DNA sequence: AAAAGTTACGTTATAATATAACACTATGAC
DNA sequence: GTCATAGTGTTATATTATAACGTAACTTTT
């Protein structure tokens, strides 16, 4: 039984530098094992996504890449994102048109996002769909891809407001 | 216990003209009871949304409104949509940046969408969140708004492909 | 290692979606 | 009728995303 609590990384206080490094090296491993190239660009974009547990828009990623003298255009970012999404190294948060690094790359299966509207952090819970799938099956519907995004207030932010 | 099957209107063969009329008059009643104005514009947009059980983009709505001699601009559509969304007369399908008429206006509570990628129809199931809510509660998260969009193939389209 | 094939990157232009800001009009309250 | 408010209309622009085409870098074959 996958226990949710252990997966709820974003809302847990943790050594984030270490978290980033772990996820980056997991991405490297995953690409190597699949014979895919984690190119410099892709790595750059992934690193930007992994800077925090808050989702970031494609144009904000672009702005970060262009902080130096570089003048890079949107398609480059979208293509790197496409790769990362396909390989399950990043997720798209539909209700924000934004992107976030995956915190358990390699685990297949559907993901449920908890989006705090106060701190903007997004937690990723695995395998939520069972009940939903059942409802769908009842009407003969076969699920291909699921978007589950729950917006609200995380435990920390509830305390901070009172 | 709300039974899903009865709510799964979009994938059921039905007299759609009657369906439209029923939903439009339900909207009228709801607005009257809440002391809100279902103005001509709002009604026009709602009628366009109710033409089918397929989601439609804001600019497609705009195009329909502009089919005659009218030259109307985006904000008009977005404002009507804002009203309809707020009152629960329409829903936004996040993964498509599109909108759909609500098939059970007045029922509060979260909604789960089944989106057929073949026929593009969207069915609306009520009250799906219980299991998800539990996972969220386990980590102290309080849900405010939920987006549950399951993309796949409806029963009809499975048959039609083989 | 040159040729050929493929994958990734770069650039320009533009499409598609959404909103800010401000003016005008209709409606309801008094 | 005047006033306040809610709704509509218009212009301009912001934000998000992709099409199309060319170049560079890796890989495979020879």
């Amino acid at each position: 039984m996958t226990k949710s609590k252990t997966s709820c990384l974003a809302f847990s206080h943790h050594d984030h530098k270490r978290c980033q490094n772990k996820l980056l090296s997991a991405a490297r491993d995953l690409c190597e094992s699949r014979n895919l190239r984690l190119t410099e660009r892709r790595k750059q974009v992934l690193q930007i996504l992994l800077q925090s547990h808050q989702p970031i828009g494609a144009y904000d990623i672009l702005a970060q890449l262009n902080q130096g003298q570089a003048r890079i255009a949107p398609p480059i970012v979208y293509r790197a994102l496409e790769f990362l999404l396909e390989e399950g190294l990043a997720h798209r948060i539909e209700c924000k048109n934004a992107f976030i690094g995956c915190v358990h790359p390699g685990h297949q299966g559907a993901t449920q996002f908890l989006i705090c509207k106060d701190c903007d952090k997004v937690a990723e819970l695995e395998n939520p769909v069972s009940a939903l799938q059942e409802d769908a099956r009842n009407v003969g519907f076969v699920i291909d891809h699921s978007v589950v995004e729950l917006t609200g207030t995380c435990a920390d932010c509830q305390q901070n407001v009172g």
Side-chain angles (χ1 to χ4, degrees), chain A residues 129 132-147:
Chain A
V129 232
L132 306 179
Q133 263 171 345
E134 204 156 320
D135 285 357
R137 199 165 10 191
N138 279 340
V139 297
F141 188 92
V142 175
I143 298 174
D144 202 69
H145 175 82
S146 73
V147 172

Side-chain angles (χ1 to χ4, degrees), chain A residues 6-23 50-54 103 121-123 156:
Chain A
T6 63
S7 313
C8 189
L9 184 56
F11 300 147
S12 309
H13 304 282
H14 63 281
D15 179 347
H16 188 59
K17 199 75 209 166
R18 208 177 143 199
C19 169
Q20 282 175 278
N21 290 336
K22 205 188 80 197
L23 290 171
L50 293 175
Q51 276 168 7
S52 77
H53 293 292
Q54 284 139 345
V103 298
K121 284 187 193 148
V122 173
D156 272 16

Side-chain angles (χ1 to χ4, degrees), chain A residues 80-132:
Chain A
L81 286 170
E82 184 183 27
F83 172 84
L84 297 170
L85 293 173
E86 257 165 21
E87 299 308 326
L89 296 170
H91 298 290
R92 183 183 164 88
I93 303 298
E94 294 291 347
C95 68
K96 293 193 158 248
N97 293 336
F99 305 87
I100 193 162
C102 177
V103 298
H104 33 48
H107 304 206
Q108 75 294 15
T111 298
Q112 164 184 359
F113 297 102
L114 303 181
I115 305 169
C116 181
K117 60 181 159 45
D118 282 32
C119 66
D120 203 41
K121 284 187 193 148
V122 173
E124 204 185 323
L125 305 184
E126 288 184 89
N127 189 34
V129 232
S130 43
L132 306 179

